[in-house]
Amino acid sequence: MLEQPSFGRRLRQLRTERGLSQAALVGDGMSTGYLSRLESGARQPTERAVAFLSERLGVKPSDFTEPRAGSLAQALTVATSAETDDAILALAGTLGRGREEDRALRWQALWLLARTKRKHGERAEELGHLEELVELGDELGLPELRARACTQLAQCLRSMGDIARAAEIAAAAYRIARDSASSVRDTAGALLALVSVEAEAGRLPDARAHADELCELTRELTGPLPIEAMWTASTVRFRQGDHAAARELLELALERMSSHDGLLLWMRLRLAAASLYLQLSPPATEAARGRLEEVEPVLGLIGTALHCQELVTLQAHLAFHEGRFEDARSLHDSLQSTKVRLTFRDRVRLAVLYNRLLAHEGRIDEATDNLRTLGDQTHLGSNIDLAAEIWRVLAEILSADRLPARATPTADGTRVEEARKDEATGTVPGTTTTAPSGVT
């Protein structure tokens, strides 16, 4: 039963949310004086009045009931209006009280929580929320929600290094979006996830085809999606060895991206550009330093612990390539004293940097053993492109030290020799062992 004064408060809220005056709401069907008394709580609403107002506002009669104290609906209202990470994270306490709430409300709360956890690099917690989002999307039967949940789950799994499962989920997201004729943005989001996973898995022809499809799909859009499409296409071309095209695409994205369109993406794009410059041969250190210097002042405004770690990681790589080995070691070690929030790929590349520093310090055997193990582990996780990078670095270290292959044998006596042979081609040896430990 609808009671005063809560009915009046809720009625006023619904009216003002729609930008309606009292006269505009009632028209000729009710006096503004009667509506005013209803909103003030001075009159108890009749069934006829409730039915009339429901129709005028486009809501159900039950929508006039205020969210009860401590309910998910109330917590969600507070979180979305506060627009702070702390308010959103407080939703977790309400979710833990049970699943008796409306599933659509629960989906909204989980979506906000997952997005906030991703922003802070807390991927295990994000994964848990996304797994439930996929289940809820299936229960609700809405293809848009199913596609969005699967898209984010695939991206999360990729960032954690679980490429095989990420590929499966990303393909499902794209299939759902395509078959249900979802919006261009939902389809493009699913394609973004799919291309990223295919590139990590070394399926570069598939990734290139889907990246081209993505760029064509987003060509007429505004906002961040076309920028992210160019960024993704740049990544694919880089891994195909077309470094000039990769750099051209990424710099076009940088040129088109305004900080007014999204400061967070503006910052992430510059971090990505610095990373690409440092992976060129030879590294474009001046260009990388310029991008990192652009990021530093923005980091203090919107950066999280994750973004700070990404910046420090790139600064360490930059110091190494500039021959400032003590600075590189100091920056690397500073990350070890905190909870590392980096993606799987960035953590592996940081481990590669550590072993390059070991080699520079004369600890060749230790560095090559570590890299050999890391390469095998990463290859098993289907991170083919990343494994190729590790074997190239191993071959580089061995070549610089002029050690014969037999001096550092592997279990089958072939790995180092293969690494040397593959240095020029970038191919990856086929042996697989266990998934990376201490990296995921």
Side-chain angles (χ1 to χ4, degrees):
M1 182 177 178
L2 298 173
E3 299 286 350
Q4 290 287 25
S6 62
F7 171 82
R9 288 193 297 264
R10 182 64 174 150
L11 171 59
R12 185 185 304 110
Q13 178 188 9
L14 291 169
R15 175 176 62 78
T16 55
E17 282 176 354
R18 287 156 177 76
L20 297 173
S21 65
Q22 290 184 337
L25 173 59
V26 298
D28 296 329
M30 179 184 292
S31 71
T32 55
Y34 180 62
L35 177 63
S36 179
R37 289 191 291 275
L38 286 176
E39 289 189 351
S40 68
R43 290 288 299 270
Q44 184 66 24
T46 64
E47 289 185 10
R48 182 178 177 183
V50 171
F52 171 77
L53 292 169
S54 297
E55 182 180 354
R56 296 286 290 181
L57 289 165
V59 300
K60 302 185 296 292
S62 59
D63 291 330
F64 288 112
T65 303
E66 286 188 310
R68 64 183 182 279
S71 70
L72 176 57
Q74 186 178 74
L76 189 57
T77 301
V78 171
T80 52
S81 59
E83 297 182 343
T84 66
D85 290 350
D86 287 344
I88 291 171
L89 294 173
L91 286 170
T94 307
L95 285 174
R97 295 173 191 166
R99 297 192 59 170
E100 74 285 350
E101 297 282 357
D102 184 288
R103 286 177 298 179
L105 288 178
R106 188 174 184 86
W107 200 96
Q108 293 176 56
L110 285 165
W111 181 263
L112 289 173
L113 280 166
R115 186 177 65 184
T116 304
K117 292 294 184 181
R118 178 169 64 255
K119 176 181 174 182
H120 291 273
E122 296 174 354
R123 291 181 180 81
E125 294 89 341
E126 179 196 357
L127 179 64
H129 295 319
L130 290 171
E131 296 275 15
E132 187 176 345
L133 274 170
V134 171
E135 292 179 14
L136 277 174
D138 290 341
E139 291 174 15
L140 290 165
L142 296 174
E144 296 91 343
L145 300 188
R146 294 175 63 212
R148 291 168 195 169
C150 286
T151 294
Q152 292 307 317
L153 178 57
Q155 293 282 32
C156 180
L157 290 166
R158 180 187 65 83
S159 71
M160 297 177 74
D162 191 347
I163 299 302
R165 187 164 176 234
E168 177 186 343
I169 300 296
Y174 178 51
R175 185 170 57 251
I176 293 167
R178 183 193 59 205
D179 293 350
S180 63
S182 293
S183 68
V184 169
R185 294 186 182 276
D186 281 335
T187 305
L191 268 175
L192 274 170
L194 184 58
V195 172
S196 299
V197 174
E198 288 172 337
E200 293 285 359
R203 292 161 47 191
L204 295 179
D206 292 339
R208 175 64 178 266
H210 283 131
D212 291 345
E213 180 184 348
L214 174 64
C215 288
E216 183 61 32
L217 185 65
T218 59
R219 188 180 303 278
E220 302 301 324
L221 296 182
T222 58
L225 260 180
I227 303 298
E228 293 194 71
M230 284 187 282
W231 175 4
T232 302
S234 167
T235 300
V236 173
R237 282 161 174 74
F238 183 86
R239 293 180 188 176
Q240 286 184 311
D242 191 352
H243 294 175
R247 184 168 182 172
E248 182 180 348
L249 266 172
L250 189 55
E251 289 177 351
L252 179 61
L254 285 162
E255 179 184 327
R256 293 186 180 180
M257 178 70 197
S258 165
S259 60
H260 298 294
D261 295 328
L263 198 54
L264 183 60
L265 179 59
W266 184 92
M267 181 178 69
R268 289 176 56 229
L269 204 57
R270 278 154 178 76
L271 291 172
S275 179
L276 182 146
Y277 297 149
L278 292 174
Q279 292 177 70
L280 295 173
S281 183
T285 54
E286 287 291 336
R289 188 186 308 108
R291 293 306 183 189
L292 295 180
E293 288 174 354
E294 287 179 323
V295 165
E296 285 190 80
V298 177
L299 200 65
L301 297 174
I302 64 166
T304 64
L306 168 62
H307 301 129
C308 291
Q309 289 185 4
E310 289 173 340
L311 176 62
V312 172
T313 299
L314 290 170
Q315 288 172 332
H317 286 292
L318 174 63
F320 179 86
H321 288 301
E322 290 182 331
R324 296 183 289 110
F325 301 113
E326 290 186 6
D327 289 344
R329 164 64 82 168
S330 177
L331 288 163
H332 169 275
D333 292 350
S334 71
L335 290 168
Q336 308 310 307
S337 61
T338 61
K339 176 183 176 182
V340 179
R341 302 169 184 269
L342 300 170
T343 65
F344 176 88
R345 184 179 185 86
D346 285 346
R347 292 173 74 173
V348 170
R349 294 196 72 242
L350 188 63
V352 171
L353 174 64
Y354 169 72
N355 286 292
R356 296 182 82 168
L357 288 167
L358 286 184
H360 175 74
E361 294 162 1
R363 296 157 67 180
I364 303 293
D365 289 346
E366 184 180 352
T368 55
D369 285 346
N370 289 345
L371 287 169
R372 188 180 301 111
T373 300
L374 186 61
D376 282 336
Q377 293 173 340
T378 305
H379 187 210
L380 179 64
S382 298
N383 289 269
I384 306 301
D385 180 76
L386 191 53
E389 181 178 339
I390 295 168
W391 292 116
R392 283 194 294 270
V393 172
L394 174 59
E396 174 189 311
I397 291 172
L398 290 171
S399 177
D401 197 56
R402 297 177 182 174
L403 289 177
R406 58 181 173 81
T408 54
T410 63
D412 61 5
T414 62
R415 178 63 69 198
V416 173
E417 187 60 34
E418 289 176 2
R420 286 181 167 182
K421 289 178 181 178
D422 295 329
E423 180 179 14
T425 64
T427 56
V428 183
T431 300
T432 57
T433 55
T434 56
S437 59
V439 180
T440 55

PDB file of all heavy atoms in Angstrom, residues 30-61:
ATOM      1  N   MET A  30      -6.247  16.541 -13.633  1.00  0.00           N
ATOM      2  CA  MET A  30      -6.165  16.705 -12.176  1.00  0.00           C
ATOM      3  C   MET A  30      -5.784  18.151 -11.905  1.00  0.00           C
ATOM      4  O   MET A  30      -5.052  18.776 -12.695  1.00  0.00           O
ATOM      5  CB  MET A  30      -5.085  15.748 -11.627  1.00  0.00           C
ATOM      6  CG  MET A  30      -4.873  15.819 -10.122  1.00  0.00           C
ATOM      7  SD  MET A  30      -3.492  14.738  -9.594  1.00  0.00           S
ATOM      8  CE  MET A  30      -4.169  13.111  -9.911  1.00  0.00           C
ATOM      9  N   SER A  31      -6.229  18.678 -10.809  1.00  0.00           N
ATOM     10  CA  SER A  31      -5.871  20.055 -10.477  1.00  0.00           C
ATOM     11  C   SER A  31      -4.454  20.095  -9.906  1.00  0.00           C
ATOM     12  O   SER A  31      -3.996  19.149  -9.254  1.00  0.00           O
ATOM     13  CB  SER A  31      -6.848  20.625  -9.453  1.00  0.00           C
ATOM     14  OG  SER A  31      -6.657  20.032  -8.187  1.00  0.00           O
ATOM     15  N   THR A  32      -3.767  21.204 -10.161  1.00  0.00           N
ATOM     16  CA  THR A  32      -2.417  21.355  -9.621  1.00  0.00           C
ATOM     17  C   THR A  32      -2.461  21.459  -8.096  1.00  0.00           C
ATOM     18  O   THR A  32      -1.514  21.059  -7.416  1.00  0.00           O
ATOM     19  CB  THR A  32      -1.730  22.602 -10.204  1.00  0.00           C
ATOM     20  OG1 THR A  32      -2.553  23.756  -9.976  1.00  0.00           O
ATOM     21  CG2 THR A  32      -1.488  22.439 -11.696  1.00  0.00           C
ATOM     22  N   GLY A  33      -3.551  21.991  -7.542  1.00  0.00           N
ATOM     23  CA  GLY A  33      -3.680  22.081  -6.088  1.00  0.00           C
ATOM     24  C   GLY A  33      -3.708  20.691  -5.461  1.00  0.00           C
ATOM     25  O   GLY A  33      -3.073  20.448  -4.423  1.00  0.00           O
ATOM     26  N   TYR A  34      -4.479  19.763  -6.080  1.00  0.00           N
ATOM     27  CA  TYR A  34      -4.552  18.392  -5.560  1.00  0.00           C
ATOM     28  C   TYR A  34      -3.184  17.725  -5.666  1.00  0.00           C
ATOM     29  O   TYR A  34      -2.733  17.033  -4.739  1.00  0.00           O
ATOM     30  CB  TYR A  34      -5.598  17.609  -6.329  1.00  0.00           C
ATOM     31  CG  TYR A  34      -5.762  16.183  -5.869  1.00  0.00           C
ATOM     32  CD1 TYR A  34      -6.174  15.900  -4.571  1.00  0.00           C
ATOM     33  CD2 TYR A  34      -5.504  15.120  -6.724  1.00  0.00           C
ATOM     34  CE1 TYR A  34      -6.332  14.588  -4.139  1.00  0.00           C
ATOM     35  CE2 TYR A  34      -5.661  13.802  -6.301  1.00  0.00           C
ATOM     36  CZ  TYR A  34      -6.067  13.549  -5.006  1.00  0.00           C
ATOM     37  OH  TYR A  34      -6.215  12.256  -4.573  1.00  0.00           O
ATOM     38  N   LEU A  35      -2.481  17.942  -6.806  1.00  0.00           N
ATOM     39  CA  LEU A  35      -1.158  17.355  -6.972  1.00  0.00           C
ATOM     40  C   LEU A  35      -0.189  17.901  -5.925  1.00  0.00           C
ATOM     41  O   LEU A  35       0.619  17.152  -5.362  1.00  0.00           O
ATOM     42  CB  LEU A  35      -0.614  17.659  -8.377  1.00  0.00           C
ATOM     43  CG  LEU A  35       0.806  17.161  -8.668  1.00  0.00           C
ATOM     44  CD1 LEU A  35       0.867  15.647  -8.588  1.00  0.00           C
ATOM     45  CD2 LEU A  35       1.295  17.643 -10.026  1.00  0.00           C
ATOM     46  N   SER A  36      -0.302  19.196  -5.645  1.00  0.00           N
ATOM     47  CA  SER A  36       0.575  19.819  -4.652  1.00  0.00           C
ATOM     48  C   SER A  36       0.362  19.195  -3.281  1.00  0.00           C
ATOM     49  O   SER A  36       1.314  18.935  -2.540  1.00  0.00           O
ATOM     50  CB  SER A  36       0.332  21.330  -4.614  1.00  0.00           C
ATOM     51  OG  SER A  36       1.149  21.935  -3.639  1.00  0.00           O
ATOM     52  N   ARG A  37      -0.916  18.922  -2.920  1.00  0.00           N
ATOM     53  CA  ARG A  37      -1.194  18.312  -1.614  1.00  0.00           C
ATOM     54  C   ARG A  37      -0.693  16.865  -1.570  1.00  0.00           C
ATOM     55  O   ARG A  37      -0.241  16.400  -0.525  1.00  0.00           O
ATOM     56  CB  ARG A  37      -2.696  18.381  -1.325  1.00  0.00           C
ATOM     57  CG  ARG A  37      -3.184  19.799  -1.032  1.00  0.00           C
ATOM     58  CD  ARG A  37      -4.599  19.822  -0.482  1.00  0.00           C
ATOM     59  NE  ARG A  37      -5.582  19.429  -1.482  1.00  0.00           N
ATOM     60  CZ  ARG A  37      -6.128  20.264  -2.378  1.00  0.00           C
ATOM     61  NH1 ARG A  37      -5.754  21.538  -2.399  1.00  0.00           N
ATOM     62  NH2 ARG A  37      -7.032  19.835  -3.244  1.00  0.00           N
ATOM     63  N   LEU A  38      -0.768  16.166  -2.716  1.00  0.00           N
ATOM     64  CA  LEU A  38      -0.216  14.809  -2.759  1.00  0.00           C
ATOM     65  C   LEU A  38       1.296  14.836  -2.537  1.00  0.00           C
ATOM     66  O   LEU A  38       1.855  14.044  -1.769  1.00  0.00           O
ATOM     67  CB  LEU A  38      -0.517  14.161  -4.112  1.00  0.00           C
ATOM     68  CG  LEU A  38      -1.951  13.711  -4.375  1.00  0.00           C
ATOM     69  CD1 LEU A  38      -2.081  13.193  -5.803  1.00  0.00           C
ATOM     70  CD2 LEU A  38      -2.365  12.621  -3.376  1.00  0.00           C
ATOM     71  N   GLU A  39       1.974  15.760  -3.195  1.00  0.00           N
ATOM     72  CA  GLU A  39       3.424  15.829  -3.076  1.00  0.00           C
ATOM     73  C   GLU A  39       3.874  16.253  -1.682  1.00  0.00           C
ATOM     74  O   GLU A  39       4.935  15.831  -1.212  1.00  0.00           O
ATOM     75  CB  GLU A  39       4.000  16.785  -4.133  1.00  0.00           C
ATOM     76  CG  GLU A  39       3.914  16.223  -5.555  1.00  0.00           C
ATOM     77  CD  GLU A  39       4.681  17.070  -6.555  1.00  0.00           C
ATOM     78  OE1 GLU A  39       5.131  18.183  -6.174  1.00  0.00           O
ATOM     79  OE2 GLU A  39       4.844  16.638  -7.716  1.00  0.00           O
ATOM     80  N   SER A  40       3.082  17.072  -1.040  1.00  0.00           N
ATOM     81  CA  SER A  40       3.448  17.516   0.316  1.00  0.00           C
ATOM     82  C   SER A  40       3.110  16.475   1.370  1.00  0.00           C
ATOM     83  O   SER A  40       3.534  16.587   2.527  1.00  0.00           O
ATOM     84  CB  SER A  40       2.723  18.824   0.652  1.00  0.00           C
ATOM     85  OG  SER A  40       1.321  18.594   0.787  1.00  0.00           O
ATOM     86  N   GLY A  41       2.309  15.464   0.985  1.00  0.00           N
ATOM     87  CA  GLY A  41       1.901  14.434   1.943  1.00  0.00           C
ATOM     88  C   GLY A  41       0.625  14.748   2.665  1.00  0.00           C
ATOM     89  O   GLY A  41       0.209  14.004   3.562  1.00  0.00           O
ATOM     90  N   ALA A  42      -0.016  15.859   2.293  1.00  0.00           N
ATOM     91  CA  ALA A  42      -1.236  16.279   2.992  1.00  0.00           C
ATOM     92  C   ALA A  42      -2.449  15.438   2.600  1.00  0.00           C
ATOM     93  O   ALA A  42      -3.430  15.382   3.352  1.00  0.00           O
ATOM     94  CB  ALA A  42      -1.517  17.759   2.690  1.00  0.00           C
ATOM     95  N   ARG A  43      -2.426  14.782   1.445  1.00  0.00           N
ATOM     96  CA  ARG A  43      -3.547  13.953   1.007  1.00  0.00           C
ATOM     97  C   ARG A  43      -3.061  12.537   0.707  1.00  0.00           C
ATOM     98  O   ARG A  43      -1.995  12.334   0.145  1.00  0.00           O
ATOM     99  CB  ARG A  43      -4.179  14.538  -0.264  1.00  0.00           C
ATOM    100  CG  ARG A  43      -4.936  15.839  -0.054  1.00  0.00           C
ATOM    101  CD  ARG A  43      -6.237  15.609   0.698  1.00  0.00           C
ATOM    102  NE  ARG A  43      -7.146  14.724   0.006  1.00  0.00           N
ATOM    103  CZ  ARG A  43      -8.066  15.120  -0.872  1.00  0.00           C
ATOM    104  NH1 ARG A  43      -8.192  16.407  -1.165  1.00  0.00           N
ATOM    105  NH2 ARG A  43      -8.875  14.239  -1.440  1.00  0.00           N
ATOM    106  N   GLN A  44      -3.849  11.562   1.112  1.00  0.00           N
ATOM    107  CA  GLN A  44      -3.555  10.171   0.798  1.00  0.00           C
ATOM    108  C   GLN A  44      -3.985   9.890  -0.646  1.00  0.00           C
ATOM    109  O   GLN A  44      -5.103  10.265  -1.052  1.00  0.00           O
ATOM    110  CB  GLN A  44      -4.310   9.244   1.750  1.00  0.00           C
ATOM    111  CG  GLN A  44      -4.014   7.766   1.593  1.00  0.00           C
ATOM    112  CD  GLN A  44      -2.586   7.416   1.973  1.00  0.00           C
ATOM    113  OE1 GLN A  44      -1.949   8.126   2.746  1.00  0.00           O
ATOM    114  NE2 GLN A  44      -2.086   6.322   1.405  1.00  0.00           N
ATOM    115  N   PRO A  45      -3.169   9.264  -1.480  1.00  0.00           N
ATOM    116  CA  PRO A  45      -3.540   9.036  -2.885  1.00  0.00           C
ATOM    117  C   PRO A  45      -4.624   7.972  -3.033  1.00  0.00           C
ATOM    118  O   PRO A  45      -4.625   6.965  -2.326  1.00  0.00           O
ATOM    119  CB  PRO A  45      -2.222   8.553  -3.515  1.00  0.00           C
ATOM    120  CG  PRO A  45      -1.483   7.913  -2.383  1.00  0.00           C
ATOM    121  CD  PRO A  45      -1.817   8.742  -1.173  1.00  0.00           C
ATOM    122  N   THR A  46      -5.536   8.207  -3.933  1.00  0.00           N
ATOM    123  CA  THR A  46      -6.549   7.198  -4.258  1.00  0.00           C
ATOM    124  C   THR A  46      -6.015   6.304  -5.388  1.00  0.00           C
ATOM    125  O   THR A  46      -5.050   6.651  -6.078  1.00  0.00           O
ATOM    126  CB  THR A  46      -7.842   7.873  -4.737  1.00  0.00           C
ATOM    127  OG1 THR A  46      -7.572   8.584  -5.965  1.00  0.00           O
ATOM    128  CG2 THR A  46      -8.375   8.843  -3.687  1.00  0.00           C
ATOM    129  N   GLU A  47      -6.650   5.153  -5.582  1.00  0.00           N
ATOM    130  CA  GLU A  47      -6.230   4.244  -6.659  1.00  0.00           C
ATOM    131  C   GLU A  47      -6.346   4.937  -8.016  1.00  0.00           C
ATOM    132  O   GLU A  47      -5.508   4.748  -8.902  1.00  0.00           O
ATOM    133  CB  GLU A  47      -7.085   2.983  -6.650  1.00  0.00           C
ATOM    134  CG  GLU A  47      -6.798   2.062  -5.477  1.00  0.00           C
ATOM    135  CD  GLU A  47      -7.584   0.757  -5.578  1.00  0.00           C
ATOM    136  OE1 GLU A  47      -8.197   0.516  -6.651  1.00  0.00           O
ATOM    137  OE2 GLU A  47      -7.580  -0.009  -4.608  1.00  0.00           O
ATOM    138  N   ARG A  48      -7.412   5.737  -8.173  1.00  0.00           N
ATOM    139  CA  ARG A  48      -7.607   6.439  -9.440  1.00  0.00           C
ATOM    140  C   ARG A  48      -6.490   7.449  -9.690  1.00  0.00           C
ATOM    141  O   ARG A  48      -5.973   7.559 -10.817  1.00  0.00           O
ATOM    142  CB  ARG A  48      -8.961   7.142  -9.420  1.00  0.00           C
ATOM    143  CG  ARG A  48      -9.295   7.862 -10.716  1.00  0.00           C
ATOM    144  CD  ARG A  48     -10.671   8.489 -10.617  1.00  0.00           C
ATOM    145  NE  ARG A  48     -10.986   9.256 -11.818  1.00  0.00           N
ATOM    146  CZ  ARG A  48     -12.087   9.956 -11.986  1.00  0.00           C
ATOM    147  NH1 ARG A  48     -13.011   9.978 -11.023  1.00  0.00           N
ATOM    148  NH2 ARG A  48     -12.305  10.622 -13.108  1.00  0.00           N
ATOM    149  N   ALA A  49      -6.086   8.174  -8.641  1.00  0.00           N
ATOM    150  CA  ALA A  49      -5.019   9.175  -8.773  1.00  0.00           C
ATOM    151  C   ALA A  49      -3.692   8.491  -9.110  1.00  0.00           C
ATOM    152  O   ALA A  49      -2.927   8.963  -9.963  1.00  0.00           O
ATOM    153  CB  ALA A  49      -4.892   9.987  -7.490  1.00  0.00           C
ATOM    154  N   VAL A  50      -3.427   7.369  -8.449  1.00  0.00           N
ATOM    155  CA  VAL A  50      -2.188   6.637  -8.703  1.00  0.00           C
ATOM    156  C   VAL A  50      -2.154   6.130 -10.143  1.00  0.00           C
ATOM    157  O   VAL A  50      -1.128   6.226 -10.839  1.00  0.00           O
ATOM    158  CB  VAL A  50      -2.031   5.473  -7.707  1.00  0.00           C
ATOM    159  CG1 VAL A  50      -0.861   4.571  -8.105  1.00  0.00           C
ATOM    160  CG2 VAL A  50      -1.823   6.008  -6.294  1.00  0.00           C
ATOM    161  N   ALA A  51      -3.269   5.596 -10.621  1.00  0.00           N
ATOM    162  CA  ALA A  51      -3.324   5.088 -11.989  1.00  0.00           C
ATOM    163  C   ALA A  51      -3.099   6.213 -12.996  1.00  0.00           C
ATOM    164  O   ALA A  51      -2.365   6.047 -13.994  1.00  0.00           O
ATOM    165  CB  ALA A  51      -4.667   4.416 -12.239  1.00  0.00           C
ATOM    166  N   PHE A  52      -3.715   7.374 -12.744  1.00  0.00           N
ATOM    167  CA  PHE A  52      -3.567   8.520 -13.644  1.00  0.00           C
ATOM    168  C   PHE A  52      -2.113   9.000 -13.681  1.00  0.00           C
ATOM    169  O   PHE A  52      -1.527   9.206 -14.766  1.00  0.00           O
ATOM    170  CB  PHE A  52      -4.487   9.653 -13.192  1.00  0.00           C
ATOM    171  CG  PHE A  52      -4.257  10.950 -13.931  1.00  0.00           C
ATOM    172  CD1 PHE A  52      -4.743  11.123 -15.226  1.00  0.00           C
ATOM    173  CD2 PHE A  52      -3.556  11.991 -13.340  1.00  0.00           C
ATOM    174  CE1 PHE A  52      -4.523  12.323 -15.910  1.00  0.00           C
ATOM    175  CE2 PHE A  52      -3.333  13.174 -14.015  1.00  0.00           C
ATOM    176  CZ  PHE A  52      -3.827  13.346 -15.309  1.00  0.00           C
ATOM    177  N   LEU A  53      -1.525   9.160 -12.509  1.00  0.00           N
ATOM    178  CA  LEU A  53      -0.147   9.663 -12.433  1.00  0.00           C
ATOM    179  C   LEU A  53       0.848   8.646 -13.007  1.00  0.00           C
ATOM    180  O   LEU A  53       1.850   9.029 -13.624  1.00  0.00           O
ATOM    181  CB  LEU A  53       0.200  10.014 -10.986  1.00  0.00           C
ATOM    182  CG  LEU A  53      -0.565  11.223 -10.423  1.00  0.00           C
ATOM    183  CD1 LEU A  53      -0.359  11.325  -8.920  1.00  0.00           C
ATOM    184  CD2 LEU A  53      -0.105  12.513 -11.117  1.00  0.00           C
ATOM    185  N   SER A  54       0.579   7.372 -12.808  1.00  0.00           N
ATOM    186  CA  SER A  54       1.451   6.335 -13.382  1.00  0.00           C
ATOM    187  C   SER A  54       1.483   6.449 -14.902  1.00  0.00           C
ATOM    188  O   SER A  54       2.547   6.362 -15.525  1.00  0.00           O
ATOM    189  CB  SER A  54       0.957   4.943 -12.981  1.00  0.00           C
ATOM    190  OG  SER A  54       1.018   4.753 -11.595  1.00  0.00           O
ATOM    191  N   GLU A  55       0.312   6.616 -15.484  1.00  0.00           N
ATOM    192  CA  GLU A  55       0.233   6.720 -16.934  1.00  0.00           C
ATOM    193  C   GLU A  55       0.945   7.974 -17.441  1.00  0.00           C
ATOM    194  O   GLU A  55       1.669   7.933 -18.435  1.00  0.00           O
ATOM    195  CB  GLU A  55      -1.228   6.732 -17.371  1.00  0.00           C
ATOM    196  CG  GLU A  55      -1.407   6.799 -18.891  1.00  0.00           C
ATOM    197  CD  GLU A  55      -2.868   6.809 -19.304  1.00  0.00           C
ATOM    198  OE1 GLU A  55      -3.747   6.654 -18.426  1.00  0.00           O
ATOM    199  OE2 GLU A  55      -3.128   6.977 -20.518  1.00  0.00           O
ATOM    200  N   ARG A  56       0.736   9.092 -16.742  1.00  0.00           N
ATOM    201  CA  ARG A  56       1.343  10.351 -17.165  1.00  0.00           C
ATOM    202  C   ARG A  56       2.878  10.306 -17.059  1.00  0.00           C
ATOM    203  O   ARG A  56       3.580  10.881 -17.887  1.00  0.00           O
ATOM    204  CB  ARG A  56       0.809  11.500 -16.318  1.00  0.00           C
ATOM    205  CG  ARG A  56      -0.690  11.746 -16.473  1.00  0.00           C
ATOM    206  CD  ARG A  56      -1.033  12.407 -17.779  1.00  0.00           C
ATOM    207  NE  ARG A  56      -0.577  13.800 -17.848  1.00  0.00           N
ATOM    208  CZ  ARG A  56      -0.777  14.595 -18.896  1.00  0.00           C
ATOM    209  NH1 ARG A  56      -1.422  14.122 -19.969  1.00  0.00           N
ATOM    210  NH2 ARG A  56      -0.348  15.838 -18.893  1.00  0.00           N
ATOM    211  N   LEU A  57       3.374   9.616 -16.036  1.00  0.00           N
ATOM    212  CA  LEU A  57       4.822   9.550 -15.808  1.00  0.00           C
ATOM    213  C   LEU A  57       5.474   8.382 -16.535  1.00  0.00           C
ATOM    214  O   LEU A  57       6.709   8.297 -16.612  1.00  0.00           O
ATOM    215  CB  LEU A  57       5.116   9.448 -14.303  1.00  0.00           C
ATOM    216  CG  LEU A  57       4.847  10.707 -13.491  1.00  0.00           C
ATOM    217  CD1 LEU A  57       4.824  10.378 -11.998  1.00  0.00           C
ATOM    218  CD2 LEU A  57       5.906  11.777 -13.784  1.00  0.00           C
ATOM    219  N   GLY A  58       4.666   7.451 -17.023  1.00  0.00           N
ATOM    220  CA  GLY A  58       5.207   6.285 -17.709  1.00  0.00           C
ATOM    221  C   GLY A  58       5.874   5.305 -16.775  1.00  0.00           C
ATOM    222  O   GLY A  58       6.911   4.721 -17.106  1.00  0.00           O
ATOM    223  N   VAL A  59       5.292   5.120 -15.595  1.00  0.00           N
ATOM    224  CA  VAL A  59       5.853   4.191 -14.606  1.00  0.00           C
ATOM    225  C   VAL A  59       4.764   3.237 -14.128  1.00  0.00           C
ATOM    226  O   VAL A  59       3.576   3.417 -14.436  1.00  0.00           O
ATOM    227  CB  VAL A  59       6.441   4.954 -13.393  1.00  0.00           C
ATOM    228  CG1 VAL A  59       7.543   5.902 -13.828  1.00  0.00           C
ATOM    229  CG2 VAL A  59       5.341   5.733 -12.641  1.00  0.00           C
ATOM    230  N   LYS A  60       5.178   2.232 -13.368  1.00  0.00           N
ATOM    231  CA  LYS A  60       4.227   1.321 -12.732  1.00  0.00           C
ATOM    232  C   LYS A  60       3.831   1.892 -11.367  1.00  0.00           C
ATOM    233  O   LYS A  60       4.615   2.625 -10.743  1.00  0.00           O
ATOM    234  CB  LYS A  60       4.852  -0.061 -12.553  1.00  0.00           C
ATOM    235  CG  LYS A  60       5.330  -0.702 -13.852  1.00  0.00           C
ATOM    236  CD  LYS A  60       5.822  -2.119 -13.612  1.00  0.00           C
ATOM    237  CE  LYS A  60       7.040  -2.159 -12.708  1.00  0.00           C
ATOM    238  NZ  LYS A  60       8.240  -1.568 -13.352  1.00  0.00           N
ATOM    239  N   PRO A  61       2.648   1.571 -10.862  1.00  0.00           N
ATOM    240  CA  PRO A  61       2.267   2.048  -9.530  1.00  0.00           C
ATOM    241  C   PRO A  61       3.290   1.688  -8.458  1.00  0.00           C
ATOM    242  O   PRO A  61       3.519   2.463  -7.524  1.00  0.00           O
ATOM    243  CB  PRO A  61       0.918   1.355  -9.280  1.00  0.00           C
ATOM    244  CG  PRO A  61       0.343   1.175 -10.650  1.00  0.00           C
ATOM    245  CD  PRO A  61       1.514   0.860 -11.535  1.00  0.00           C
TER     246      PRO A  61
END
